[in-house]
Amino acid sequence: MPLDILPSVCPHDCPSTCSLEVERLDTHRIGRVRGAADQDYTAGVVCAKVARYAERHNHPDRLTVPLLRVGPKGQGMAAYKPISWNEALDRVAEKFIEAERRLGAETVWPYFYAGTMGLVQRDGINRLRHAKRYSGQLSTICVMLSDTGWVAGVGEKRGVDAREIAQSDLVVVWGGNPVSTQVNVMTHITRARKERGAPLVVVDPYRTPTALVADIHLMPRPGTDGALACAVMHELFRQGFADRDYLARYTDCPQELEAHLQSRPPEWAAAITGVPADRIRSFAELYGRTKRSYIRVGYGFSRSRNGSANLHAVSCLPAITGAWQYPGGGALYSNAGFYGLDKTMIEGLDVRDPKVRILDMSRIGPVLTGDRQDLGEGPPVTALLIQNTNPMVVCPEGLKVREGFMRDDLFTCVHEQFMTETAAMADVVLPATTFLEHDDIYLAGGHTYLQVARKVVEPLAEAKTNHFVICELAKRLGAEHPGFHMTEWELIDQMLKASNKPSADALAAERWHDCARSFEEGHFLNGFPQPGGRFRFKPDWKGMGPWHKGMPALPDHPHLIEEATAEHPFRLVAAPARTFLNSTFTETPGSRQREVRPTALLHPTDCERLGLAEGDRVRLGNRRGSVVIHAKPFDGLQPGVVIVEGIWPNGAFEEGQGINALIGADPGPPKGGACFHDSAVWVRPA
Ligand SMILES: Nc1nc2c(c(=O)[nH]1)N[C@H]1C(S)=C(S)[C@@H](COP(=O)(O)OP(=O)(O)OC[C@H]3O[C@@H](n4cnc5c(=O)[nH]c(N)nc54)[C@H](O)[C@@H]3O)O[C@H]1N2
Ligand SMILES: Nc1nc2c(c(=O)[nH]1)N[C@H]1C(S)=C(S)[C@@H](COP(=O)(O)OP(=O)(O)OC[C@H]3O[C@@H](n4cnc5c(=O)[nH]c(N)nc54)[C@H](O)[C@@H]3O)O[C@H]1N2
Ligand code: SF4
Ligand SMILES: [Mo]
């Protein structure tokens, strides 16, 4: 590699975790970013938004110095004046100490998510939390519903190696949109299609870019995948595609399941899903006939109140046909659960006090507005430390989130790369490095490599790492832990050694370390990590979480979703945009140009009925709030469904409030989780 091209790893919240090659233009600026060609999962491919990362990294609006708010909240840069790092950190520490003195340590809430997926820069905030006994965070915003649904049947968060997709004879992408959200999956699917003639089936309520290139697109109403999966299983049994030897050996209650499915034929599912019965029957036949069938399970269809149940229902399919036994057969939701890393030092798990209350991050609106049920016996939250996330934009019940952040008695510190709408609510804003300016280690959900990355360029101006901020605050707050006295690299090395992995230096030299399991283990041929080694058609929902009421004993269509009604006749899916990543990249001109503006996709018959033409202003609303948006007639969805792509900043909407105003913050059953694709709304010309 020439000197000015350096290795790195994409830190974004995306299962692909691509191995990167980054052009370094000078000590601070980067040029093009490419995917590592000789890493067999990345295979030389990255998404367009990261290929253009220079736009974000070298952006003129990056934060360069610590800022103190001297004007009103929500006004952006004009409300701030620069201060020194020492002043900024001293002030934050003083405020936290003062808040703790008044109301106890639980009044402080460190809040984070996955702006970077690096384990040191992302999770180090927990070390400060635990050392100080600050309020805990229940991380429900993304994977809680899907993890729960997968673990219910399979038992652990792992599945068949995605590189095996190339050996499949049928690939099913269920409730995910990899062309937009993890492009590398498509590389492996393309191989199976070219080399083995494998058809691609996509199950999605609208014609996504992935559905557009599929051979078969099944288009259920949002929140009805459980019904679809049941009818497919009904047909698998009826058409003689059930592998009875496999079922007897590897599953918990096949006879009971078969009997239960008797009353779930395709006609039953057609009425619920809107997918014609003959389409369900022929998909079941294709799936049943093909032993090497691979289901790539997406996150999208878990973001409903019945999402865990629906994801579990889909994970049952390969257990019926015994597809798990074959190369290229089975399913993958995520492999993030199999790395076995000991994060005690990074997260300060050894000093965690289990008695400290834990607050649900998706419910930050209700929490900050003082919901007693959320706060329990504890004090209100009066101090926030935020890294790696943009809750003002990404969280449900957006109006409540805003109301909470506006509170006069709330002190907020946000460590950010940009003046996001969350940063603009802060009293103190600290400038953060990007992944190209700090060291970290990354695991992946979509593949099996462990990767470390050294910084590629020097930090911009006064930007500092998350690790720096956590350690400096710890010093001022009197928090004790050996992890506060280690460098990033030392923390990485310590974790690797504690986990019986190669050292940090060895890993850096190797670039990517494959942690893949054996074929037998990957395919659960030695049994599933469940009682008796058996896949569970009948999960222990009750044991999984407090909100298990209404969860079905066996796969079904549980009536838990926010159904369309006469008053709210549309079902809204707030899907991701191809060139944004959550709210990240909404600041880059390339992505803004492509996504144009917040848009509602509506069926042409709905548009006609409402008298809407392309580009007309339309108001979507429900009891939580309403937003004004531009309509676009689109025939790739069912009537009564509306799709809004992209977590646009609130400010991109006419009235300053974005799509998450319409999303509920009630915890998705059984364990919590945000239901971004499960809202009933009305639609009116604006
Ligand atoms: N470009 C881009 N890439 C991203 C992201 C992004 O915002 N933009 N976000 C990243 C993050 S944080 C994550 S978690 C992943 C998520 O990646 P995905 O697994 O793709 O999940 P979602 O993005 O939630 O939604 C994907 C699809 O699920 C569909 N869907 C919604 N409800 C249902 C349903 O009831 N049934 C079915 N069958 N389908 C349904 C939506 O229409 C959408 O097309 O992507 C990551 N990658
Ligand atoms: N409507 C709707 N809402 C959704 C979703 C949806 O599909 N629809 N998806 C949900 C999902 S799956 C998720 S995961 C959440 C994600 O929500 P978030 O985790 O909030 O993700 P981002 O919006 O990408 O914001 C990450 C922020 O971290 C910052 N950042 C990046 N790297 C660093 C760093 O090293 N240090 C610091 N201090 N900051 C850094 C970035 O600048 C960015 O502002 O959104 C959820 N919200
Ligand atoms: S596909 Fe995902 S991991 Fe790969 S470069 Fe794009 S955002 Fe990063
Ligand atoms: Mo996510």
Side-chain angles (χ1 to χ4, degrees), residues 541-559:
W541 295 121
K542 207 171 167 186
M544 297 188 83
W547 299 286
H548 53 80
K549 196 165 155 257
M551 293 301 278
L554 287 160
D556 213 332
H557 173 63
H559 292 277

Side-chain angles (χ1 to χ4, degrees), residues 181-494:
T181 62
Q182 46 168 322
V183 66
N184 305 77
V185 170
M186 299 311 292
T187 307
H188 300 273
I189 294 177
T190 302
R191 283 193 190 138
R193 297 178 94 178
K194 276 203 182 131
E195 290 161 24
R196 307 180 65 89
L200 169 63
V201 179
V202 170
V203 186
D204 200 296
Y206 79 110
R207 197 166 62 234
T208 60
T210 312
L212 193 61
V213 300
D215 300 287
I216 298 169
H217 175 200
L218 300 176
M219 205 164 71
R221 284 189 196 110
T224 64
D225 302 81
L228 184 56
C230 282
V232 172
M233 289 191 274
H234 168 102
E235 282 298 302
L236 291 173
F237 278 110
R238 195 189 62 81
Q239 297 185 32
F241 292 120
D243 181 338
R244 294 189 183 272
D245 291 342
Y246 184 87
L247 284 165
R249 181 158 170 215
Y250 286 105
T251 68
D252 62 344
C253 58
Q255 283 91 5
E256 220 178 308
L257 177 68
E258 188 176 0
H260 160 78
L261 292 169
Q262 288 289 323
S263 55
R264 271 89 183 148
E267 284 70 20
W268 166 82
I272 298 166
T273 61
V275 179
D278 57 332
R279 303 259 300 159
I280 301 176
R281 220 169 267 122
S282 56
F283 168 65
E285 193 197 334
L286 174 67
Y287 186 80
R289 261 197 287 111
T290 317
K291 288 301 177 195
R292 292 183 175 209
S293 61
Y294 190 103
I295 307 183
R296 188 69 182 90
V297 177
Y299 299 83
F301 77 112
S302 75
R303 308 199 195 290
S304 287
R305 289 167 183 81
N306 59 10
S308 286
N310 289 350
L311 198 141
H312 168 256
V314 170
S315 76
C316 294
L317 294 182
I320 310 275
T321 62
W324 286 111
Q325 301 161 95
Y326 308 101
L332 173 66
Y333 149 61
S334 169
N335 268 328
F338 85 14
Y339 284 84
L341 297 174
D342 180 348
K343 290 166 69 190
T344 305
M345 187 66 85
I346 290 178
E347 295 200 57
L349 298 176
D350 51 339
V351 295
R352 183 177 159 255
D353 178 352
K355 293 193 292 298
V356 172
R357 76 167 170 196
I358 297 174
L359 303 172
D360 182 343
M361 70 178 301
S362 301
R363 292 185 54 76
I364 186 170
V367 166
L368 292 185
T369 51
D371 190 308
R372 279 320 313 175
Q373 218 159 339
D374 286 284
L375 296 172
E377 302 296 301
V381 170
T382 61
L384 282 169
L385 171 64
I386 300 179
Q387 286 183 321
N388 276 320
T389 182
N390 188 10
M392 273 288 291
V393 182
V394 305
C395 283
E397 280 197 47
L399 292 173
K400 268 205 183 143
V401 178
R402 178 184 303 272
E403 189 189 327
F405 272 103
M406 286 301 285
R407 263 173 46 204
D408 284 332
D409 63 337
L410 176 70
F411 174 83
T412 304
C413 170
V414 174
H415 186 201
E416 248 300 343
Q417 296 160 345
F418 287 89
M419 184 57 80
T420 60
E421 290 180 354
T422 305
M425 288 287 166
D427 298 279
V428 173
V429 178
L430 306 172
T433 45
T434 74
F435 74 106
L436 296 164
E437 297 162 339
H438 59 233
D439 300 342
D440 218 327
I441 180 163
Y442 305 86
L443 50 76
H447 60 69
T448 55
Y449 290 107
L450 193 57
Q451 307 177 83
V452 286
R454 289 281 202 182
K455 68 177 176 182
V456 167
V457 288
E458 292 305 315
L460 171 71
E462 294 182 29
K464 300 279 188 199
T465 68
N466 291 2
H467 181 62
F468 171 89
V469 167
I470 295 305
C471 296
E472 286 298 314
L473 284 178
K475 205 188 294 173
R476 288 166 173 80
L477 293 163
E480 308 272 348
H481 197 273
F484 296 129
H485 307 287
M486 296 164 77
T487 64
E488 282 99 337
W489 206 251
E490 285 165 352
L491 280 170
I492 294 168
D493 199 50
Q494 186 280 338

